[in-house]
Amino acid sequence: MSKSPKEILSETTPQIRSIVEQVLKNEREYQHFRKLSSTQESDICNRIISLVEKEVKS
């Protein structure tokens, strides 16, 4: 039996849920682009890294 993404997310810690929600929010900002520039890709990566670092430090 496979689980839905919502079921999997509900079984994680609050910290993981927070990171996933923030990453998805950031991803939505770029959905309208067909092709991302290397600068945009770098920005996305840096934002994700920053989110994870922030959550780990807290």
Side-chain angles (χ1 to χ4, degrees):
M1 179 170 101
S2 58
K3 296 181 180 182
S4 73
K6 285 185 179 185
E7 290 173 318
I8 294 170
L9 196 55
S10 71
E11 295 174 0
T12 65
T13 66
Q15 292 84 3
I16 298 297
R17 279 193 297 272
S18 174
I19 291 171
V20 170
E21 289 168 1
Q22 291 176 54
V23 167
L24 291 174
K25 179 182 173 189
N26 288 335
E27 187 269 339
R28 278 188 223 104
E29 292 178 30
Y30 290 92
Q31 276 186 340
H32 62 281
F33 290 101
R34 289 192 160 216
K35 184 167 173 108
L36 297 175
S37 69
S38 60
T39 303
Q40 290 169 316
E41 288 180 357
S42 180
D43 181 50
I44 293 169
C45 291
N46 288 332
R47 290 169 76 178
I48 292 170
I49 291 167
S50 177
L51 288 170
V52 173
E53 288 175 342
K54 181 177 133 188
E55 199 62 43
V56 168
K57 288 179 183 178
S58 59

